[in-house]
Amino acid sequence: MHTRQEKIEALGRVIDTLDILRVKCPWDAKQTNESLRPNTIEEVYELCDALIKEDDANIRKELGDVLLHVLFYAKIGEEKEAFDIADVCDALNDKLIYRHPHVFGDTHVNSSADVVQNWEQLKLKEKGGNKTVLSGVPAALPAMIKAERITEKAANVGFDWQKREDVWEKVGEEIAEFAAAAETRTPAEMEEEMGDVLFAIINASRLYGINSENALEKTNAKFIRRFNHIESRAREAGRDLRDMTLAEMDELWNEAKKLEREG
């Protein structure tokens, strides 16, 4: 691993390179906050993909791509004489110190839950008490991640079950309401009830310390692996999936599960 000085020098080289590219590269020179934003979103998703796969080589690569975007936005801010990367770092450092009074001050905490609760309370104070509990949840977040953040923030001010097991009654209630809606109501009402089911499940995941996004993504990957196995075996047999029965595909699905356990 590198020394602190080597890390500083490495970051400085990237900043110097970006400064040159901003002047001499036609593509880099024309970029704006608006033009970079879609690419930033893509880069963050690529980093998330590497993280879920625990692929260290790609994590390193994708972190570099995300860092480039951070530096690029700071460079644009510098050109507008609004802020530069030093301002970004200073603001971040100040915020970290302010929100960790149990480390840099005299606040006492007993657990990580206490740290999170203090963090949320301090965030409210930063806006002079005028900020609502849920206003800090970005509107542009994907719905699943947003639901998790909403329930976290509500829980941090005490709006939560005293025992996590109690959430299952709510989950069952929402599933029953959806089942009733499916029998008698309109598509819009069914959509609303399904949203309630999903929200309750995400809340349950939070209570059990499970990240819903990560859990679902792992299940997505598992389904893809097993379905690819079905396709591969069907191709080997000269079969078209559309001509196979569900029982035949289920047999290959179970074969894939068995291979995963044995592997």
Side-chain angles (χ1 to χ4, degrees):
M1 291 294 102
H2 296 85
T3 66
R4 185 173 186 275
Q5 184 59 38
E6 287 172 334
K7 294 172 187 176
I8 292 171
E9 290 173 356
L11 183 59
R13 286 194 294 272
V14 175
I15 293 172
D16 290 343
T17 298
L18 181 58
D19 286 345
I20 294 170
L21 291 174
R22 187 67 172 163
V23 174
K24 295 188 176 181
C25 173
W27 186 90
D28 289 285
K30 73 175 186 178
Q31 296 311 305
T32 65
N33 287 340
E34 184 178 0
S35 68
L36 284 172
R37 181 178 176 274
N39 292 338
T40 304
I41 295 171
E42 181 179 341
E43 296 297 354
V44 172
Y45 273 110
E46 289 179 357
L47 172 60
C48 290
D49 187 51
L51 290 168
I52 202 78
K53 293 176 180 175
E54 298 185 357
D55 183 343
D56 287 339
N58 264 328
I59 290 172
R60 181 179 65 179
K61 172 183 174 294
E62 300 302 341
L63 279 172
D65 291 341
V66 171
L67 176 60
L68 170 60
H69 281 248
V70 172
L71 296 175
F72 218 135
Y73 291 121
K75 179 64 179 176
I76 292 171
E78 181 180 344
E79 292 166 353
K80 294 162 57 178
E81 297 186 353
F83 61 86
D84 61 17
I85 191 62
D87 295 314
V88 173
C89 292
D90 286 341
L92 173 58
N93 191 57
D94 290 345
K95 181 169 69 174
L96 288 173
I97 292 172
Y98 173 74
R99 293 188 183 174
H100 291 81
H102 54 287
V103 176
F104 301 103
D106 55 9
T107 299
H108 177 72
V109 296
N110 295 313
S111 66
S112 60
D114 289 345
V115 173
V116 174
Q117 190 170 34
N118 287 340
W119 181 281
E120 295 296 342
Q121 291 171 349
L122 288 167
K123 286 171 71 175
L124 288 174
K125 290 180 181 178
E126 287 173 11
K127 293 294 183 178
N130 295 324
K131 189 177 180 182
T132 65
V133 171
L134 300 181
S135 62
V137 180
L141 280 178
M144 178 173 288
I145 298 174
K146 186 188 295 184
E148 192 160 273
R149 294 295 293 129
I150 288 170
T151 59
E152 284 175 356
K153 286 181 175 292
N156 286 334
V157 295
F159 192 69
D160 204 5
W161 281 272
Q162 290 186 344
K163 296 189 300 182
R164 66 182 183 180
E165 295 82 3
D166 293 342
V167 72
W168 297 115
E169 182 179 348
K170 183 63 174 176
V171 171
E173 174 188 321
E174 299 296 355
I175 291 174
E177 289 180 2
F178 173 77
E183 291 290 335
T184 62
R185 303 186 191 180
T186 65
E189 289 172 318
M190 287 192 292
E191 180 182 65
E192 180 181 348
E193 296 299 344
M194 180 56 77
D196 291 345
V197 170
L198 295 172
F199 192 88
I201 290 291
I202 291 168
N203 213 359
S205 295
R206 174 189 61 81
L207 286 162
Y208 282 83
I210 297 168
N211 181 286
S212 301
E213 174 71 21
N214 290 347
L216 182 57
E217 181 53 31
K218 288 176 180 177
T219 294
N220 288 341
K222 180 170 60 178
F223 185 94
I224 290 170
R225 286 196 309 271
R226 293 177 182 176
F227 196 81
N228 285 346
H229 177 80
I230 294 174
E231 282 191 297
S232 177
R233 295 282 281 115
R235 195 178 302 113
E236 290 172 6
R239 302 283 303 278
D240 189 309
L241 288 180
R242 297 172 185 81
D243 298 328
M244 296 178 70
T245 66
L246 180 57
E248 289 174 320
M249 287 191 281
D250 274 341
E251 183 178 350
L252 293 175
W253 178 274
N254 290 328
E255 180 180 274
K257 289 173 64 176
K258 181 181 178 181
L259 288 172
E260 286 177 4
R261 288 193 297 268
E262 293 175 349

